[in-house]
Amino acid sequence: MTFEMGEETREVQGTWDISTYKYLIDGAGMKLLVDSMKEKKIRGIKCPQCETVYVPGPTFCRKCYIDIDEVVEIGETGVVMSYAVEMADVRGNPLEEFRLTAMIKLDGADTWIIGTISGMDWHDARIGMRVKAFWVDEPVGSLADIDRFEAI
Amino acid sequence: MQRDIAIVAQAQVMTDSLDIPRERMLFDLVKGLFDKVGITRHDIDGFVLNSNDFEVGHTIANVFEDTPCGAYMKDETHVEADGMWAAQYTTMRLLSGNYDTALVVGNSSGASTFRPYLVMDYQLNPTYDRQLGILNELSTAALQARAYMAKYGAEEDDFNEIAARLLRNAALNPYAVRSKADATAGDVLASDYLYEPLRQLACYPFTDGACAMILASGKRAKELTDKPVWIKGMGNSVDTYYVGERDLATSKSARMAGERAYKLAGISNPAKQIDVAEVSAKFAYQEPIISEALGLFKEGSAGKVASKGLADLGGSMPVCPSGGGLGAYVFTANGLVRVAECVRQLKGEAGEAQVSGAKTALAHSQDGFCAQHNGVMVLSTEEG
């Protein structure tokens, strides 16, 4: 006698409850950045060996593999290195208003920060465009203290 | 083996409450190791990193580990399973002849980011094991402990004796996060049951940490250290996933992993030829199952080994002079730590836990529920 196998595929419900994570961040480098943002300033860390200026600043140089701690003040203007237009969220829901997001190399920095560009039609955006940071009225020392960037 | 490969040096860091970022922990550990050996990151031609996505809290766990480990723009790859697989993979890369000096780093911040038992829950088969909510890391372990007790007439007290020895050994290990210099089986008995017959002190402590090791071809290793530790053999074996398809009282896969490593290393009588063993046991009861499968003791001899002190530091077959997984259990890196502890022994750097005259050591690793996957490496002070 053989067993009648029937359909091989069935569904059972499953969830993936991965609880809450506690991440330890690079306190020194990130603190430097958010503390400076509270004063509406942007500060990074410079490697004394290769002179790379990192924003946000890590506490060691990727290339030279040494500890770094030289604080440098960065401009609040910079250049768009690349941009993307968000038309749907990550779950696939279309957005009513498209969002222009960009990677911006601030004047005096070698690495790029992320930001949103407002006040322009995304069709007019271009790489190489100069932008300026606009702050929230009352910065609290958070990455959200930069409200937006605008073309200058 | 086709080419002589040796371990040059090792470094470890462990804590029960990490208070620095994982990246900083890795940078300090690896840079310290490079400084100790007198090399820079540019002397390493192959990087193998080892960590677990779940424990780290994001996928492709190694992406934040690369630059802290000095791998910026270098040849790097990642192993998600236990760290010994990373060490074996590193050895294979060196055996290929395409690499001469390699770094392997295993790490976990699971103790502070995520309860390790939960990680194991998500290793369960979602279509059967998870449906009833009965199986988890502790229940499967308790089932296995009970199976060994029933088969060989072992008692909970035998496991408590093993736990006490490991906690005493851990007191001699500067890296251990839990220890008790004068631990007795009574102390273990006095700790709560998590699942009967698993007492809290007979289960692994949640540990954050990392282990780094430099491996090299024979010629290069001798340039870098006066005391290379030679890799004589390695093997691994994986059992079926489902615990209901296995004989839990014994470990066929540990036995086969051992046989494969012994064959390469020319070991015919492990109990005689091996001077010290570092076995990966998450729970005290696992140590006899595994060390018996590896031929270090007779089958079902947990009680005798404990009462005669055979596995003690001064015993005939010292097992886990480091305190093993009961002193510290860095999830993911644990098997690599066992290798590192063998390196400390063979270099004569184990301090008060030194097994005098140790020349040949065995490191064991495991992965999965009830040690589904087992790995073994045989190490020696003697070349060739």
Side-chain angles (χ1 to χ4, degrees):
Chain A
M1 181 187 155
T2 53
F3 171 61
E4 180 60 50
M5 293 297 285
E7 285 180 30
E8 264 198 47
T9 306
R10 297 200 185 175
E11 275 182 21
V12 291
Q13 293 300 311
T15 56
W16 200 330
D17 171 15
I18 49 175
S19 183
T20 305
Y21 276 90
K22 185 178 81 178
Y23 296 101
L24 293 172
I25 62 164
D26 187 338
M30 197 55 83
K31 185 174 184 300
L32 174 74
L33 180 63
V34 294
D35 282 357
S36 64
M37 291 177 85
K38 204 169 176 178
E39 304 166 30
K40 299 192 180 182
K41 306 263 188 216
I42 301 166
R43 296 191 186 106
I45 299 180
K46 181 178 178 179
C47 173
Q49 203 163 298
C50 69
E51 303 197 327
T52 298
V53 175
Y54 294 92
V55 186
T59 53
F60 66 92
C61 178
R62 317 304 190 191
K63 303 165 205 168
C64 304
Y65 206 56
I66 54 170
D67 280 302
I68 56 175
D69 61 2
E70 186 187 335
V71 175
V72 212
E73 192 154 324
I74 312 298
E76 57 179 10
T77 54
V79 60
V80 171
M81 304 303 287
S82 191
Y83 65 89
V85 185
E86 187 181 356
M87 298 185 169
D89 68 20
V90 286
R91 296 187 194 281
N93 305 309
L95 296 185
E96 279 183 21
E97 277 186 45
F98 297 165
R99 191 162 68 147
L100 179 57
T101 57
M103 301 230 56
I104 297 152
K105 187 170 167 222
L106 293 172
D107 298 333
D110 290 299
T111 61
W112 311 346
I113 66 162
I114 45 178
T116 305
I117 301 174
S118 303
M120 68 182 297
D121 186 327
W122 68 265
H123 291 94
D124 298 328
R126 58 184 170 78
I127 289 174
M129 179 169 78
R130 298 223 16 110
V131 291
K132 178 178 182 300
F134 285 79
W135 300 87
V136 295
D137 292 337
E138 288 179 19
V140 293
S142 121
L143 293 176
D145 287 344
I146 293 183
D147 181 57
R148 66 192 187 280
F149 285 85
E150 286 187 17
I152 49 173
Chain B
M1 305 232 289
Q2 302 89 319
R3 191 182 185 210
D4 287 344
I5 308 295
I7 298 166
V8 172
Q10 61 83 34
Q12 302 173 44
V13 59
M14 283 167 207
T15 170
D16 57 0
S17 57
L18 189 66
D19 58 2
I20 53 171
R22 199 168 62 99
E23 292 76 9
R24 169 53 56 177
M25 169 179 81
L26 290 169
F27 178 82
D28 289 345
L29 182 77
V30 174
K31 190 158 199 323
L33 181 61
F34 289 163
D35 291 347
K36 189 173 90 177
V37 175
I39 60 173
T40 74
R41 69 185 198 91
H42 300 296
D43 292 305
I44 303 290
D45 51 21
F47 289 74
V48 180
L49 304 188
N50 162 242
S51 49
N52 178 289
D53 292 357
F54 261 114
E55 291 219 307
V56 167
H58 59 86
T59 60
I60 327 292
N62 51 322
V63 294
F64 295 151
E65 298 164 11
D66 296 322
T67 58
C69 291
Y72 178 72
M73 293 296 161
K74 300 294 182 186
D75 176 323
E76 183 267 0
T77 183
H78 183 240
V79 171
E80 181 88 10
D82 179 86
M84 183 183 284
W85 279 264
Q88 294 196 357
Y89 181 23
T90 308
T91 307
M92 289 177 214
R93 296 185 118 205
L94 290 163
L95 282 171
S96 76
N98 292 330
Y99 301 85
D100 267 324
T101 316
L103 177 79
V104 54
V105 184
N107 84 92
S108 169
S109 51
S112 59
T113 51
F114 200 88
R115 198 171 158 78
Y117 296 148
L118 292 176
V119 177
M120 293 299 285
D121 272 8
Y122 294 108
Q123 198 180 106
L124 287 167
N125 172 357
T127 64
Y128 180 76
D129 305 350
R130 266 191 235 168
Q131 293 289 314
L132 294 174
I134 291 170
L135 295 184
N136 56 53
E137 174 152 55
L138 291 171
S139 69
T140 52
L143 291 164
Q144 188 176 35
R146 179 63 58 194
Y148 180 88
M149 290 161 82
K151 182 160 183 171
Y152 299 111
E155 307 279 346
E156 185 203 307
D157 192 54
D158 300 334
F159 303 148
N160 294 345
E161 289 284 1
I162 293 169
R165 166 174 55 80
L166 292 171
L167 291 169
R168 289 194 300 271
N169 288 355
L172 309 176
N173 179 354
Y175 304 115
V177 300
R178 185 180 66 181
S179 65
K180 194 170 192 312
D182 59 352
T184 64
D187 294 327
V188 183
L189 184 70
S191 66
D192 291 338
Y193 274 134
L194 296 181
Y195 259 79
E196 192 276 340
L198 310 178
R199 298 279 179 185
Q200 178 112 42
L201 284 179
C203 301
Y204 69 92
F206 298 159
T207 310
D208 289 325
C211 177
M213 217 176 282
I214 294 168
L215 282 73
S217 61
K219 184 169 168 284
R220 184 85 178 108
K222 283 192 272 189
E223 291 166 5
L224 295 174
T225 176
D226 297 338
K227 292 179 183 172
V229 171
W230 302 95
I231 297 170
K232 308 296 275 194
M234 55 189 201
N236 82 73
S237 171
V238 64
D239 205 328
T240 178
Y241 156 76
Y242 183 49
V243 290
E245 293 174 17
R246 302 189 225 156
D247 172 10
L248 290 178
T250 59
S251 177
K252 188 176 176 184
S253 70
R255 178 166 61 76
M256 297 192 76
E259 284 170 2
R260 285 170 188 151
Y262 295 156
K263 191 176 168 193
L264 280 170
I267 300 247
S268 52
N269 185 343
K272 277 221 167 76
Q273 289 170 271
I274 288 163
D275 302 316
V276 56
E278 280 284 337
V279 167
S280 281
K282 291 177 143 181
F283 306 93
Y285 81 83
Q286 284 187 336
E287 191 188 282
I289 296 180
I290 291 160
S291 50
E292 289 163 22
L294 296 173
L296 304 179
F297 302 108
K298 277 174 65 179
E299 218 179 283
S301 63
K304 187 182 148 198
V305 170
S307 65
K308 297 199 166 182
L310 303 181
D312 291 11
L313 256 174
S316 59
M317 180 71 254
V319 178
C320 290
S322 64
L326 293 201
Y329 198 99
V330 183
F331 218 95
T332 315
N334 186 64
L336 193 61
V337 172
R338 303 278 69 77
V339 178
E341 284 300 324
C342 288
V343 170
R344 288 178 72 219
Q345 285 288 342
L346 296 181
K347 281 178 175 273
E349 295 170 353
E352 285 182 82
Q354 184 66 47
V355 173
S356 70
K359 285 192 164 63
T360 305
L362 175 150
H364 161 268
S365 68
Q366 62 155 294
D367 218 348
F369 282 95
C370 299
Q372 178 196 356
H373 201 171
N374 287 270
V376 170
M377 289 177 83
V378 177
L379 309 170
S380 170
T381 54
E382 284 164 27
E383 190 181 355

